[in-house]
Structure formats: C-alpha cells, structure tokens
Amino acid sequence: MNRLLDALSRIFDFGLTGELLGYPFVQQALLAAAALGLVSGVLAPLVVTRKMSFAVHGTAELAFTGAAAALLIGVGVTMGALAGAVVAALLLGLLGQRETERDSVIGAVLSFGLGLGVLLLWMNPERASNKFTLLVGQIVGVSSADVTLLGIAALVVLLVTALLYRPLLFASVDSEVAAARGVPTGLLTPVFALLVGIATALGVHVVGALLVMALMVTPGAAAMRVTASPVTATLLSVVFAELAAVGGILLSLAPGVPVSVFVTTVSFGIYLVCRVVGGLRVNRLTRGNAAVAV
C-alpha cells in the first residue's frame, strides 16, 4: 500500500518529469508514441466498424511471437514484431474471408501464436526483463533506429489508408452492397488486415502486445459514440489516441510505472466520458424528435 501511495504521489512530480524529458530515450519514446497514436487513431474507427476488435487481439499475439523470436536470435524486436504481425494479418485476412468463420480462425491463430511465443520466451531464460516488456511495453527499449522504422511503417500505413479510404469505408459499412457495386471486398479484407497488423506491431514497444487494443480499438469506439460522421470520428479518434499514447508516457515518467498502465487508463477514461456524452446526445435528439412529432 505504501509503495502504491508513493507512486501516486510521484505522478505529479513535474520537476522530475521535466528532468526526464531531457533524456534521448524519452524523446524517442514520445516520437514513437506520436506515430503510433496517429496511425491507430486513423484505423480505429474502421476496426470498430468492421468488427475486427478480436482480430486486433489475435494479431497482437503473433506480433508478440515475432518479437519473442527476434529477442531469441538477437535482432531488432520491432522488426520481429512487424514480421509476426504481417504473418498474422495475412493469415486472418486470407483464412477469415467469410464473416461466419472469422472468429474461429482468429481463435486458432491467436492460441497458436501465444503458445509459440511462450515457447520462444522459455528458450531464452536469461532475458527475463525483456519478456515482461514485450507484454506491457517499455519506453527504455525504443531506440533511434526503432523510431525511424516506426516512422516509415506509419507513413506507409497512412498513405495506403488514404488511397483506399473510400472503398474501405463503403465495404466496412455494408460489404454486400459494396461488393454488388464492384468494390473488391475480397482484396480489401487482407489489405486492411495487413494495415492493422503493421499498426499493431508498432504498439508492442510502447503499450505491449497484451494491451495494444487500448489504442487500436478504444479511441475509435469512443469517437463513434459522439458523432456519426466518419471524418469527424477519425479526427476525434486520432486526438484520443494521441492523448492516450503521449499522455500515458508523460504520466508514467515520474512514478516509473509501466507505460501501459496510464495508456489504458487514459484511453478507458476517454471512452467512459464519450459514452456519457453520447448518451446525453441521443436523449436530446430523442426528445427533440418527440416534440416535433407532437
């Protein structure tokens, strides 16, 4: 209990936070978080609309497996996470074309990925601290090379999303009508899964494989609670994701608590506020429509 109270009191130690902001690894982590917040914020509303929240979790598990493999053979963890996430995305996109079988495919891939990741970590017993960071994130592990790789990956995801946004949105809202209008939904599904996989891999360093949904799903779900406009929802989702990612790092500096604790807390807090605001908005519209009808 005393350690908890001490950690809570240190959250508002702005002097220590300001001092830590001068360290290169903190600055690199903030850049990585900003890139992650931008990408996840753009994709999150589409993830929610396409009902792919479970797929994000499955992809994160294979990103964790790829990162564990990279740790075992001594290469960059970010590169391993990207490779694992890409494999997961392709498997989910190709095997889960039919909506009726998508959940079972995700469950199979998720359990396989997690089991393989555990095996790879067991084969590497001397790096226990790195095992924990793969699950919950750690800003100390973000290097300048990682920031460069994250920036390039984020730029690619944003460019492809911008090019495919209209057909993606159409297929996300009503895939059957989109297919009837000639939209290549069969191709868009694995492509979007690949984009989600890359974005999910970007979050392994910052949030960890277990909690990346706090940025890939929650900001989009929160934004869609307060607006029906896809463009407005995307802009709000980016703002919410940035607040959670960057704000989570800033809050974690002084107490030294894992970043994911604050990222998930900020993200969930925003979601709760948006649920309340959205509920009030619906009630106001309902009363207005009732008054007009009378």
Side-chain angles (χ1 to χ4, degrees), residues 147-236:
V147 173
T148 301
L149 180 59
L150 294 177
I152 294 172
L155 182 61
V156 170
V157 171
L158 291 174
L159 288 176
V160 175
T161 302
L163 291 173
L164 301 179
Y165 183 76
R166 287 179 65 85
L168 267 176
L169 180 61
F170 191 9
S172 301
V173 174
D174 195 326
S175 60
E176 293 183 358
V177 174
R181 293 289 184 87
V183 175
T185 55
L187 177 63
L188 287 177
T189 296
V191 169
F192 184 70
L194 182 60
L195 296 177
V196 170
I198 295 173
T200 300
L202 302 184
V204 171
H205 257 320
V206 179
V207 190
L210 293 181
L211 302 171
V212 73
M213 292 178 69
L215 293 177
M216 288 298 302
V217 177
T218 310
M224 294 176 68
R225 282 281 175 176
V226 296
T227 181
S229 167
V231 174
T232 305
T234 300
L235 293 175
L236 286 175

Side-chain angles (χ1 to χ4, degrees), residues 15-43:
L16 179 57
T17 299
E19 180 182 341
L20 291 172
L21 285 174
Y23 287 90
F25 75 88
V26 175
Q27 298 166 4
Q28 290 163 180
L30 289 172
L31 289 174
L36 174 61
L38 179 59
V39 173
S40 61
V42 169
L43 294 180

Side-chain angles (χ1 to χ4, degrees), residues 100-152:
T100 53
E101 63 183 16
R102 191 169 297 159
D103 282 352
S104 59
V105 169
I106 295 170
V109 172
L110 185 154
S111 57
F112 166 73
L114 187 59
L116 182 58
V118 170
L119 173 63
L120 293 171
L121 288 183
W122 175 80
M123 294 171 64
N124 191 16
E126 71 275 10
R127 299 186 180 181
S129 60
N130 287 330
K131 298 177 185 180
F132 185 67
T133 63
L134 292 181
L135 299 175
V136 299
Q138 177 58 264
I139 61 173
V140 177
V142 181
S143 66
S144 58
D146 290 326
V147 173
T148 301
L149 180 59
L150 294 177
I152 294 172

Side-chain angles (χ1 to χ4, degrees), residues 28-94:
Q28 290 163 180
L30 289 172
L31 289 174
L36 174 61
L38 179 59
V39 173
S40 61
V42 169
L43 294 180
L46 291 171
V47 169
V48 174
T49 302
R50 296 175 71 88
K51 300 178 181 178
M52 289 182 62
S53 301
F54 190 33
V56 170
H57 186 49
T59 304
E61 298 301 342
L62 277 195
F64 156 73
T65 303
L71 190 65
L72 178 63
I73 63 178
V75 299
V77 170
T78 301
M79 185 64 73
L82 280 170
V86 167
V87 170
L90 291 176
L91 287 174
L92 297 179
L94 295 174

Side-chain angles (χ1 to χ4, degrees), residues 268-293:
F268 185 61
I270 291 172
Y271 175 74
L272 290 179
V273 171
C274 288
R275 278 194 68 101
V276 173
V277 172
L280 294 174
R281 175 173 169 269
V282 170
N283 290 337
R284 184 171 63 253
L285 291 174
T286 302
R287 288 196 299 268
N289 292 334
V292 171

